[in-house]
Amino acid sequence: MEGFVYQCSPSRVVFGQGALAQLPDEVARLGAHRALVLTTPEQRGLGERVAALLGERAAGVHDQAVMHVPIEAARAARAEAQRLGADCYVAVGGGSTIGLGKAIALGSAQPILAVPTTYAGSEATPIYGITEDRLKTTGRDPRVLPRTVLYDPELTLTLPAAISAASGMNALAHAVEALYAQDANPIISLMAEEAIRALAGALPAVVRNPVDIDARSRALHGAWLAGVCLGNVGMALHHKLCHTLGGTFNLPHAQTHAAMLPHTAHYNHAAAPQALLRAARALGGEQAADAGPLLFRLNQALGIPAALAEVGMPEAGLDEAATLACTNPYYNPRPIELAAIRALLDRAWRGEMPA
Ligand SMILES: NC(=O)c1ccc[n+]([C@@H]2O[C@H](COP(=O)([O-])OP(=O)(O)OC[C@H]3O[C@@H](n4cnc5c(N)ncnc54)[C@H](O)[C@@H]3O)[C@@H](O)[C@H]2O)c1
């Protein structure tokens, strides 16, 4: 057995149907008295419900979270937090809202309590991202890791089927890559395998019936495990490629992950056979080479667009995307070769089965 390093993230997790009711106690547990509730304009109603639940411990509701945390949004939120004398941030929403909380905590070091309502997994990571002049900078900082996470599956019932499916595949990508990360370790690999099994089992049921609370609970459980994977081990080709595609071509985050995952998994299957075998088994397959095609079929079953072309990728940008992916060398089990990456992108752009 190979040696490894394992360090556990210091985060408290409260999971269960109706867990939101424990929010006031959890805020008190953090020693906070003035919690600023963060959310998006679309989820303002939920933000107000959360503030009402907090009563005197609520400092206000700031509903200006947007995708990729533009620096202006971060500055405005920091100013609002200061104006209201906030000593804690309750981020209620998806990765964008939690990302806004992280942008504030990066400067203030005040605690974040996250209440995730998608499957993106940001609540379980010390990774932040801020976009300035169309360039997204990401980094890791322990100050931005939410101290407490409340997972309440009831809050995901309103997430539309199509967004749930793509968000779930985004989570699945964290788990698949964790299995072959450079710093993979046995504990995170256990979580990754279980995340893949839970998500692949639950997502079709979520899409069939978005208010199936049992399926929602299993999907959220998988998303938590996948988020822990993302937060604890480094990522490889898949995340780097999606970061490039999202940043340079402004493609939608979750849908891009979903369309790319079958191809990146297949690209690595021969170089990381044990890892991809575990992924394939969790998806119902028998060998490492099954992982990519099974992920492709899962996308199909979930009604997710298979082709990058369908999520807005211009064909004329494929050369640049391949070059960008090969310019900054980073860890990947199989060497990142320009011709092979260009061919991978071509298949992904057309929505063809990985080969
Ligand atoms: N730092 C990290 O570790 C990390 C991890 C994953 C994603 N991210 C970032 O998160 C962002 C994407 O997050 P996302 O995919 O969760 O999308 P999102 O947070 O942008 O949410 C998408 C939309 O869905 C709405 N929504 C969220 N939950 C809902 C619900 N339950 N019911 C109805 N509507 C709901 C939101 O208000 C928003 O309008 C990206 O910027 C990505 O880079 C960061």
Side-chain angles (χ1 to χ4, degrees):
M1 185 176 191
E2 290 197 16
F4 61 88
V5 174
Y6 172 71
Q7 187 173 339
C8 189
S9 289
S11 184
R12 174 178 163 87
V13 170
V14 179
F15 189 106
Q17 226 179 305
L20 184 65
Q22 295 177 49
L23 181 66
D25 288 348
E26 291 298 329
V27 168
R29 198 185 167 95
L30 291 171
H33 301 280
R34 292 189 61 73
L36 178 60
V37 178
L38 303 172
T39 191
T40 57
E42 298 81 20
Q43 289 181 286
R44 170 92 204 178
L46 177 60
E48 279 172 4
R49 189 179 136 206
V50 164
L53 189 64
L54 283 171
E56 286 184 349
R57 283 189 199 268
V61 178
H62 182 71
D63 68 358
Q64 295 298 307
V66 280
M67 185 87 83
H68 302 313
V69 197
I71 186 78
E72 300 77 22
R75 287 195 185 119
R78 284 175 195 149
E80 183 67 350
Q82 230 166 16
R83 188 181 72 79
L84 294 168
D87 59 3
C88 154
Y89 307 98
V90 174
V92 192
S96 300
T97 299
I98 295 166
L100 184 63
K102 288 176 168 184
I104 311 176
L106 193 59
S108 70
Q110 287 164 329
I112 302 171
L113 190 156
V115 185
T117 62
T118 71
Y119 305 131
S122 178
E123 69 283 353
T125 83
I127 305 167
Y128 63 87
I130 297 179
T131 306
E132 190 168 9
D133 293 334
R134 295 176 58 239
L135 193 73
K136 187 167 180 178
T137 315
T138 58
R140 283 180 182 256
D141 192 305
R143 286 175 298 178
V144 309
L145 177 73
R147 302 268 182 91
T148 308
V149 185
L150 280 189
Y151 285 104
D152 186 341
E154 286 178 8
L155 303 179
T156 63
L157 295 177
T158 49
L159 193 65
I163 303 180
S164 302
S167 186
M169 291 304 292
N170 180 195
L172 233 147
H174 307 332
V176 171
E177 282 238 301
L179 287 168
Y180 57 71
Q182 191 169 23
D183 50 357
N185 67 66
I187 300 292
I188 294 299
S189 294
L190 282 175
M191 289 187 170
E193 202 176 323
E194 187 52 28
I196 297 168
R197 196 166 281 118
L199 287 160
L203 291 176
V206 165
V207 167
R208 264 196 307 277
N209 177 13
V211 293
D212 176 344
I213 191 69
D214 177 56
R216 286 290 191 179
S217 301
R218 288 182 288 122
L220 196 58
H221 175 245
W224 164 49
L225 294 172
V228 174
C229 292
L230 178 69
N232 283 279
V233 295
M235 294 288 139
L237 175 66
H238 174 80
H239 281 74
K240 297 286 182 183
L241 212 41
C242 290
H243 196 205
T244 303
L245 291 168
T248 308
F249 300 96
N250 200 24
L251 304 189
H253 177 83
Q255 289 84 346
T256 305
H257 271 272
M260 289 304 295
L261 184 61
H263 300 277
T264 49
H266 196 69
Y267 186 87
N268 282 326
H269 81 274
Q274 290 308 319
L276 272 305
L277 175 62
R278 287 181 84 160
R281 281 197 184 138
L283 291 162
E286 286 167 3
Q287 48 187 342
D290 292 340
L294 284 170
L295 288 163
F296 187 85
R297 285 197 204 103
L298 182 56
N299 272 342
Q300 281 181 325
L302 297 176
I304 294 175
L308 276 187
E310 283 177 81
V311 299
M313 179 68 193
E315 188 173 15
L318 294 176
D319 280 336
E320 187 189 355
T323 308
L324 282 172
C326 300
T327 328
N328 269 333
Y330 40 78
Y331 172 77
N332 192 62
R334 175 176 163 192
I336 296 170
E337 293 150 358
L338 183 61
I341 295 296
R342 182 64 181 80
L344 177 158
L345 281 170
D346 203 52
R347 294 193 81 84
W349 189 80
R350 292 174 200 286
E352 289 169 4
M353 174 84 92

